Amino acid sequence: SLQGNYVPKHIRGRLMAMFNVVPLLVTTPAQVLAGYMYAYVSHVAPFIISFPFYAYSVYILTKLERQ
């Protein structure tokens, strides 16, 4: 809602599309890879592989909040 309030009307649609498409482009291949790992490597492998990414994102968010 803040994006809609602060973005000029002539680029609002493009910005909203960008905020929806970029995460979709990243998460779709990740889901396919996680499904492959779950089926053919180990049932725990996707969770073990994803944990460092979650930890890194928490680290980034704590650093951003302090600035």
Side-chain angles (χ1 to χ4, degrees), residues 3-24:
Q3 294 168 355
N5 292 337
Y6 290 107
V7 175
K9 288 185 178 183
H10 68 281
I11 60 170
R12 191 173 293 164
R14 289 182 186 158
L15 185 72
M16 295 301 216
M18 182 187 72
F19 278 113
N20 290 323
V21 169
V22 172
L24 181 67

Side-chain angles (χ1 to χ4, degrees), residues 20-38:
N20 290 323
V21 169
V22 172
L24 181 67
L25 292 175
V26 173
T27 58
T28 301
Q31 292 174 9
V32 172
L33 179 62
Y36 177 82
M37 288 178 6
Y38 185 87

Side-chain angles (χ1 to χ4, degrees), residues 4 11 17 19-20 23 32 40 43 50-52 54-55 67:
I11 60 170
F19 278 113
N20 290 323
V32 172
Y40 296 107
H43 296 299
S50 66
F51 181 74
Y54 290 127
Q67 292 180 356

Side-chain angles (χ1 to χ4, degrees), residues 30-60:
Q31 292 174 9
V32 172
L33 179 62
Y36 177 82
M37 288 178 6
Y38 185 87
Y40 296 107
V41 177
S42 169
H43 296 299
V44 184
F47 304 103
I48 293 172
I49 297 296
S50 66
F51 181 74
F53 293 104
Y54 290 127
Y56 185 62
S57 66
V58 168
Y59 173 75
I60 290 173

